[in-house]
Amino acid sequence: EVQLVESGGALVQPGGSLRLACAATGLSVGTSSMSWVRQAPGRGLEWVSLIYSGGQTYYAESVRGTFTISRDISKNTLYLEMSSLRVEDTAVYYCARAYSSLQIIFDSWGQGTLVTVSS
Amino acid sequence: DIQMTQSPSSLSASVGDRVTITCQASQDISNYLNWYQQKPGKAPKLLIYDASNLKRGVPSRFRGSGSGTDFTLTISDLQPEDFATYYCQQYDKLPPFTFGPGTTVDIK
């Protein structure tokens, strides 16, 4: 059974940085395509970033240049490094597994971790 | 980038009703369309993938249809556990993999 557990969410000041982690069991992050999806309070889902199984990375326009997705195969963990955080980045951040690199179907999700950007 | 719209944004229904939610893409996405259900405070759950394929374990009262730019999620015989928000998501070609704005189904 696939299990994804996010951590690292916190209260951070505007302009600050944070690193989120998503520990995976039941799958290998090195051979899976994985994404981060966020949800601002009371709002809908927003795709943030994806790392393909082959290592290529993609970002939403809103975070390109400030967020970095990566993975540690030895720890079987996905990461999201966030810098220059803005109030608008306040959200619950979910990691999700894509069914395959050709089928971006998010079939497994973590429980989410809350990032609050506020002074 | 491909934009997704959903209608209605919310609806009220009763247990036993048939509910239809539509999702429209700004350009042809073939059948690269998925549907998710989300309950308050919980992570989304995949219901239907590739427009019309039911994920294993999802009740057969959920049905997806459509291709190209227009898609539909139908819930027949609405059950109490179906009151939730539903999102469509496209994955045609390269990112971004856009979600629709969501449709909330609540109790009439």
Side-chain angles (χ1 to χ4, degrees), chain A residues 106 109, chain B residues 35-38 42-48 55:
Chain A
F106 299 122
W109 295 70
Chain B
W35 289 98
Y36 301 86
Q37 176 193 68
Q38 187 182 34
K42 300 294 187 182
K45 291 184 177 179
L46 176 67
L47 295 176
I48 288 169
K55 181 186 175 184

Side-chain angles (χ1 to χ4, degrees), chain A residues 32-113:
Chain A
S32 300
S33 295
M34 305 284 296
S35 239
W36 289 95
V37 175
R38 69 183 179 183
Q39 186 169 38
R43 305 295 295 271
L45 301 171
E46 179 188 14
W47 174 79
V48 172
S49 182
L50 178 136
I51 182 166
Y52 280 105
S53 55
Q56 308 98 305
T57 58
Y58 290 88
Y59 301 91
E61 181 84 36
S62 57
V63 306
R64 194 173 298 136
T66 58
F67 286 15
T68 303
I69 190 171
S70 63
R71 62 192 179 187
D72 185 328
I73 296 171
S74 67
K75 295 182 178 178
N76 211 29
T77 299
L78 177 74
Y79 297 100
L80 186 68
E81 294 267 7
M82 305 183 293
S83 63
S84 302
L85 281 161
R86 304 174 298 177
V87 171
E88 311 87 86
D89 295 317
T90 295
V92 173
Y93 285 74
Y94 297 100
C95 67
R97 190 268 299 266
Y99 180 73
S100 77
S101 59
L102 293 177
Q103 293 175 288
I104 308 306
I105 302 163
F106 299 122
D107 61 353
S108 297
W109 295 70
Q111 84 289 349
T113 187

